[in-house]
Amino acid sequence: MAKNLVIVESPAKAKTINKFIGSDYIVKASVGHVRDLPKSDLGVDEETFEPTYEVLEGKEKVVSELRAAAKKASIVYIASDPDREGEAIGWHVMKLLGTDATKVRRILFHEITKNAVRKAIDQPGEIDMNKVNAQQARRVLDRLVGYKLSPLLWDKVRRGLSAGRVQSVAMKMIVDREEAIKAFLPEEYWTFAAKLAAGLPPQFIAKLTKIDGKKADVTNEEQARVIETALKSGSYAVETVARKEKRQSAAAPFITSTLQRTAYNRFKYPVKRTMQIAQKLYEGKELGSFGHVGLITYMRTDSVRISDDAIAEVRQYISTKYGADILPEKPNVYRVKKAAQAQEAHEAVRPTSLEHDPEAIKDHLTREEYNLYKLIWDRFVASQMKPALFDVTDVDIRNGTYTLRASGEVLKFAGFLAVFQDASVEGAEDDDEKPDNSKALPAMNEGEPLTLVNLDTRQNFTQPPPRYTEATLVKALEENGIGRPSTYGSIMTTIQTRDYTYKSDGKFFPTQLGMLVTKLLKQSFGDIIDEGYTAELEGKLDEIEEGRVEWHEAMRDFSLKFNKDLVRAGKEMVEVKRTGVETDEVCEKCGSPMAIKFGRFGEFLACSNYPECKNTKETARGDVAEQPEGESIVCDKCGKPMQLKRSRFGQFYACTGYPDCKNTKDPRLLKADIPTEPQPPCENCGKEMVLKSGRYGPFFSCSGYPDCKTIRKIGGSKGTPPKPTGVPCPNCKEGELVERRSRRGIFFSCSRYPKCDFALNNRPVPRPCPKCAAPYLLEKETKREGHIEYCNNPECDYRAPIAARPNAANE
């Protein structure tokens, strides 16, 4: 008897489905796409826009096996992913089956569970050609732009460059932000924070908000000192007290973009890595007695919809675990974005079953998988809980013609906050990032006099817009309707590998090449790489998927516009391949201006008087970075100064004697906390230990590598021991808190780790709290308060500048 054939995309997905699909079925994987446009030519008829497809190199064996299996099967079920890309993969597979394509049925499921797969098989459908055509349109668009723009850049700038319909827009956004930062002119403003005391504790902060009933706008020191004198000499009294209740509702369960952003904010996972981890959770993990289980629903989605079965399950879970008082009378329903209406069959990213608690299956997951799974779990559970309730108090305080405001709030019902807080709040390390009304105010009545404890008068300057991180770039792309979250990871990878941008401290910086290419594209293709036009094209693709626009017609409209721009750009675009980009630097050999040129190995400086003068200077290793104040590094090979530079791989020191001296140093190897005394020889082979730098920082390695692979971590048990703080561990009472270093920086943990896992982010000091007598205090530095100490006891509000601490100078 012939068996039915189920074709999925990945072997991991095939393995999971095979566990519970039954003996009447065999499962095969296409291993992603099987056909695509040819690499060697355009592959698109420019009159009809019909694409020419060919079997991908290396996929011949897979295609042959699928054909052979289809011939033996009575029915072929295409079970590729439930999105445009998955639909297109299924269509390409069907086309390759030839006459056996008549057996093909399309099945869709958004989670890899036994019930979902069986239900899909019982209700098969057909390939959705609207989705296929939307994917074909996107592929043809990208091919037309990439294959026609890139050669133009090869001719005008440098061979090997690339341009893309979405990639170039993302790059433009980064360059535009950099230009806005450079053009930004800071404006001075002054703030006044009065620390006041009422009849009852605690003391609190009130900020100047109005002068003579108008918004306080203090822009110079002369005005500020007049106000400071008045505030210090005048008397304070409560003018009004306003109390209200504030509700904070839970966020919707994750969609692709919010998952990417939250994973970056909380764990610093790059977008591409988040999608890789989510893919593994979706395709399934081995969970011991449960077998191979798909843990989350499909992770490429713009929909926040939740199935009725999942809502019933989570409401039962919440009621049992957290109590009925935290469960709303009716399920929370979240508004679907317009862009997601075409995906209404999709669900949000959620756990497939609440039977698999993150803590219960933690041992079966990697650390990254556990972190992401728990994040998805908590957000989903919290999304069906009641809002958090706060009692909010706003107090206006009068001092002559000046009005100050103090705000405070008290959490009276945790609601969903019992389970999940947004990463932007949890990850705020600086007080300026936290809400000002995060503390309770003392009881006060209108007309009550207040006592001034101290007044903080501070000069400030407006700040330029921040550079993009992966999280904020995802948000900006999504808000502008550019691309799709499933493509964001590849976009960010491409603009870095093409040397258009690099990341430093998690922020995107454009390179000289990136700024030049963007400038040229903006001049010649300003509409094509415009955010609004790109979003309009994305909308057109959605309309194709919905069957409202014929895809060939949409390609024709785009091509007419694009080809006109292309012809004009070929004539008008500035050619910098030979001349380069002139700089202010002067050639030391002939006095001519030096120009930035772009070679196969990157950027370099060359004399503009070429070929009469052939002087060059290598800058391809990186742009000059901001040198730390007072830091002077001398080359240990030639004695010349070393300059801090940066490349897309990070910062490094380079000898200014280049190219005669090509010495470089990793800044991490010059830190003061790296031991300078000679290291003991290798304990395994007796050879010298040498200092090296890896992806997680500096370490000592045996000079006998690769024959001997001994390493000693800096600050670990085989290198410099962790630094003691003198504070006994408050958790186990037996160990001591010591300073340690991880890939993310310094932290403080118990010396008995892993037996005791107590840890702190801020430095503990062995000094009792002057207010509650807690055995130790914590120190940190904030933008607003400077270097402060505070009590770690959540019931104590002690907090003081270190400079103002009694006898600080004598300690």
Side-chain angles (χ1 to χ4, degrees):
M1 180 180 174
K3 291 188 176 183
N4 297 316
L5 173 65
V6 178
I7 300 177
V8 297
E9 289 182 35
S10 74
K13 191 175 178 180
K15 182 179 179 182
T16 304
I17 291 174
N18 212 33
K19 295 280 185 179
F20 48 70
I21 203 170
S23 58
D24 294 337
Y25 300 84
I26 59 171
V27 186
K28 295 278 187 180
S30 70
V31 197
H33 280 274
V34 289
R35 291 199 311 180
D36 196 9
L37 299 172
K39 289 185 177 180
S40 56
D41 56 61
L42 184 65
V44 177
D45 187 310
E46 294 192 66
E47 293 294 325
T48 65
F49 300 99
E50 278 297 322
T52 300
Y53 296 110
E54 59 183 31
V55 175
L56 287 168
E57 186 178 351
K59 285 295 183 74
E60 295 84 359
K61 184 178 179 181
V62 171
V63 171
S64 177
E65 290 177 353
L66 291 179
R67 283 173 172 164
K71 286 186 181 297
K72 299 176 184 178
S74 55
I75 299 177
V76 178
Y77 293 101
I78 299 290
S80 48
D81 289 344
D83 56 11
R84 286 179 195 164
E85 211 69 23
E87 205 73 24
I89 289 173
W91 178 73
H92 283 297
V93 169
M94 183 181 73
K95 286 292 184 181
L96 289 172
L97 295 182
T99 56
D100 292 310
T102 57
K103 306 176 185 178
V104 169
R105 305 291 183 271
R106 176 68 163 127
I107 59 174
L108 290 169
F109 43 84
H110 302 276
E111 58 186 63
I112 306 178
T113 60
K114 186 173 183 179
N115 289 339
V117 175
R118 293 303 312 181
K119 185 177 179 180
I121 289 175
D122 292 340
Q123 299 174 352
E126 303 296 328
I127 295 287
D128 185 342
M129 285 308 300
N130 287 335
K131 275 189 177 180
V132 173
N133 290 336
Q135 192 276 342
Q136 288 195 98
R138 178 187 291 278
R139 192 71 189 92
V140 169
L141 271 178
D142 291 344
R143 176 55 66 99
L144 289 174
V145 174
Y147 267 54
K148 291 193 172 187
L149 263 189
S150 297
L152 181 65
L153 294 177
W154 289 26
D155 289 340
K156 302 292 186 179
V157 184
R158 190 192 82 190
R159 188 175 180 83
L161 298 181
S162 75
R165 183 179 61 86
V166 179
Q167 161 200 324
S168 297
V169 181
M171 189 63 233
K172 172 184 175 291
M173 292 169 66
I174 293 171
V175 171
D176 286 349
R177 179 61 58 89
E178 193 69 22
E179 290 175 347
I181 291 170
K182 290 179 178 178
F184 181 81
L185 297 175
E187 295 181 2
E188 181 182 6
Y189 69 99
W190 289 72
T191 55
F192 305 85
K195 189 171 188 179
L196 301 170
L200 297 172
Q203 297 175 353
F204 61 95
I205 301 294
K207 294 184 178 180
L208 179 66
T209 56
K210 294 181 180 179
I211 303 174
D212 289 326
K214 297 179 182 179
K215 181 181 176 182
D217 187 13
V218 185
T219 59
N220 59 75
E221 184 172 5
E222 182 181 357
Q223 184 185 6
R225 296 308 173 196
V226 172
I227 295 171
E228 180 182 44
T229 301
L231 289 176
K232 285 183 175 180
S233 60
S235 59
Y236 293 81
V238 176
E239 185 174 40
T240 61
V241 179
R243 296 182 178 89
K244 61 183 178 181
E245 182 181 84
K246 185 181 80 172
R247 296 164 62 90
Q248 183 181 341
S249 298
F254 284 125
I255 59 175
T256 306
S257 60
T258 54
L259 176 62
Q260 291 169 345
R261 283 157 43 194
T262 308
Y264 181 85
N265 286 333
R266 191 168 294 193
F267 306 119
K268 292 295 180 278
Y269 293 163
V271 168
K272 188 174 181 180
R273 184 64 187 140
T274 294
M275 297 308 290
Q276 290 171 339
I277 302 166
Q279 183 82 35
K280 292 180 180 178
L281 296 174
Y282 166 69
E283 292 178 345
K285 299 292 296 182
E286 190 67 41
L287 301 183
S289 60
F290 289 104
H292 215 76
V293 177
L295 289 173
I296 64 171
T297 53
Y298 192 55
M299 62 284 166
R300 295 183 179 91
T301 176
D302 292 334
S303 173
V304 292
R305 190 185 73 84
I306 299 294
S307 70
D308 293 341
D309 290 344
I311 287 177
E313 184 185 18
V314 73
R315 284 175 63 84
Q316 179 62 43
Y317 174 84
I318 292 169
S319 179
T320 302
K321 183 166 183 178
Y322 296 98
D325 64 328
I326 205 169
L327 188 70
E329 291 183 12
K330 296 180 180 179
N332 294 331
V333 178
Y334 296 91
R335 184 171 60 88
V336 178
K337 294 190 303 182
K338 183 179 179 181
Q341 288 175 356
Q343 298 190 47
E344 265 301 89
H346 287 221
E347 285 193 62
V349 186
R350 62 165 177 85
T352 55
S353 171
L354 295 181
E355 183 180 13
H356 307 300
D357 186 281
E359 302 306 322
I361 64 171
K362 187 175 183 179
D363 291 344
H364 299 284
L365 307 176
T366 67
R367 182 177 179 182
E368 290 181 325
E369 290 167 350
Y370 165 77
N371 285 344
L372 200 66
Y373 181 55
K374 189 173 189 311
L375 192 67
I376 293 167
W377 175 287
D378 289 347
R379 174 90 163 219
F380 171 59
V381 172
S383 72
Q384 288 301 320
M385 288 181 163
K386 284 183 178 179
L389 300 179
F390 297 85
D391 280 333
V392 179
T393 304
D394 291 326
V395 180
D396 282 343
I397 298 158
R398 174 71 71 174
N399 182 338
T401 60
Y402 302 104
T403 302
L404 299 90
R405 169 162 288 198
S407 297
E409 66 179 31
V410 175
L411 178 66
K412 70 175 185 178
F413 178 69
F416 77 93
L417 292 177
V419 174
F420 186 87
Q421 291 188 10
D422 189 78
S424 61
V425 174
E426 288 188 347
E429 296 178 357
D430 192 286
D431 280 359
D432 288 348
E433 298 175 17
K434 297 178 182 177
D436 286 337
N437 56 2
S438 59
K439 290 186 177 180
L441 296 175
M444 288 180 279
N445 298 310
E446 293 181 5
E448 179 179 346
L450 302 172
T451 303
L452 177 66
V453 179
N454 61 52
L455 179 69
D456 180 21
T457 303
R458 183 160 299 195
Q459 181 189 37
N460 306 278
F461 292 92
T462 54
Q463 297 297 308
R467 292 181 175 89
Y468 287 112
T469 64
E470 289 210 6
T472 55
L473 186 56
V474 164
K475 185 177 181 181
L477 290 169
E478 183 184 31
E479 288 176 344
N480 283 285
I482 297 168
R484 282 292 176 261
S486 57
T487 65
Y488 291 162
S490 61
I491 291 169
M492 294 180 193
T493 299
T494 301
I495 60 178
Q496 291 177 80
T497 56
R498 297 295 183 187
D499 204 22
Y500 291 153
T501 184
Y502 63 93
K503 282 199 296 185
S504 180
D505 293 330
K507 297 179 177 66
F508 284 102
F509 290 77
T511 61
Q512 289 281 357
L513 179 62
M515 296 183 78
L516 173 63
V517 169
T518 299
K519 179 182 177 181
L520 296 176
L521 292 178
K522 283 168 70 174
Q523 290 173 345
S524 300
F525 300 91
D527 47 0
I528 300 296
I529 68 166
D530 175 72
E531 291 91 330
Y533 182 73
T534 306
E536 187 180 319
L537 279 180
E538 293 292 347
K540 194 71 72 176
L541 294 174
D542 290 338
E543 290 178 352
I544 293 170
E545 182 174 339
E546 294 162 12
R548 296 192 284 120
V549 172
E550 204 283 318
W551 79 274
H552 296 91
E553 192 63 36
M555 296 303 97
R556 191 168 291 108
D557 292 343
F558 170 81
S559 184
L560 286 172
K561 182 183 187 67
F562 179 60
N563 286 336
K564 287 181 182 177
D565 288 344
L566 198 65
V567 172
R568 188 181 71 252
K571 298 175 182 177
E572 298 178 0
M573 185 179 283
V574 178
E575 184 177 343
V576 297
K577 195 171 187 177
R578 297 185 184 88
T579 61
V581 180
E582 195 169 293
T583 69
D584 295 332
E585 190 165 343
V586 176
C587 175
E588 62 269 26
K589 292 186 178 180
C590 73
S592 301
M594 299 291 283
I596 297 174
K597 291 193 175 183
F598 306 96
R600 58 182 297 192
F601 299 114
E603 304 166 11
F604 64 98
L605 282 170
C607 182
S608 59
N609 194 27
Y610 181 87
E612 284 75 15
C613 178
K614 298 180 179 180
N615 184 28
T616 62
K617 290 183 179 181
E618 184 61 60
T619 64
R621 294 172 300 166
D623 300 79
V624 175
E626 185 176 341
Q627 192 110 347
E629 188 175 347
E631 190 168 286
S632 177
I633 306 298
V634 176
C635 177
D636 53 359
K637 292 186 177 179
C638 71
K640 291 185 178 180
M642 299 194 80
Q643 188 174 50
L644 186 63
K645 294 192 173 185
R646 61 190 176 204
S647 72
R648 61 194 174 100
F649 303 110
Q651 293 189 343
F652 65 96
Y653 280 99
C655 182
T656 55
Y658 186 90
D660 298 324
C661 178
K662 299 179 181 179
N663 189 25
T664 63
K665 285 186 180 294
D666 189 320
R668 294 174 295 182
L669 299 182
L670 302 172
K671 298 291 185 183
D673 55 359
I674 295 178
T676 56
E677 66 275 6
Q679 283 288 301
C682 174
E683 54 267 34
N684 291 325
C685 70
K687 291 186 178 180
E688 179 188 2
M689 298 296 288
V690 294
L691 189 61
K692 292 188 176 181
S693 179
R695 61 181 296 192
Y696 299 127
F699 64 97
F700 286 102
S701 172
C702 181
S703 58
Y705 181 87
D707 297 325
C708 179
K709 299 180 180 179
T710 302
I711 63 169
R712 293 179 190 155
K713 296 179 181 179
I714 302 296
S717 58
K718 294 183 181 180
T720 302
K723 298 177 183 178
T725 64
V727 177
C729 176
N731 185 40
C732 68
K733 314 297 183 185
E734 297 179 27
E736 178 185 358
L737 297 184
V738 295
E739 178 183 314
R740 299 182 189 271
R741 181 180 293 275
S742 74
R743 60 181 294 194
R744 293 186 180 178
I746 293 173
F747 69 103
F748 304 87
S749 68
C750 181
S751 58
R752 296 180 65 245
Y753 180 84
K755 292 182 179 179
C756 175
D757 60 0
F758 181 82
L760 295 167
N761 287 327
N762 293 321
R763 181 179 297 277
V765 290
R767 187 167 48 255
C769 174
K771 189 166 184 179
C772 72
Y776 67 95
L777 294 170
L778 296 180
E779 289 184 356
K780 71 173 180 178
E781 191 161 353
T782 71
K783 292 178 183 176
R784 190 177 66 184
E785 297 176 278
H787 200 186
I788 66 165
E789 65 179 14
Y790 66 99
C791 185
N792 200 36
N793 179 359
E795 298 179 0
C796 178
D797 63 353
Y798 174 72
R799 192 181 192 91
I802 288 182
R805 192 180 68 233
N807 302 320
N810 299 324
E811 292 182 1

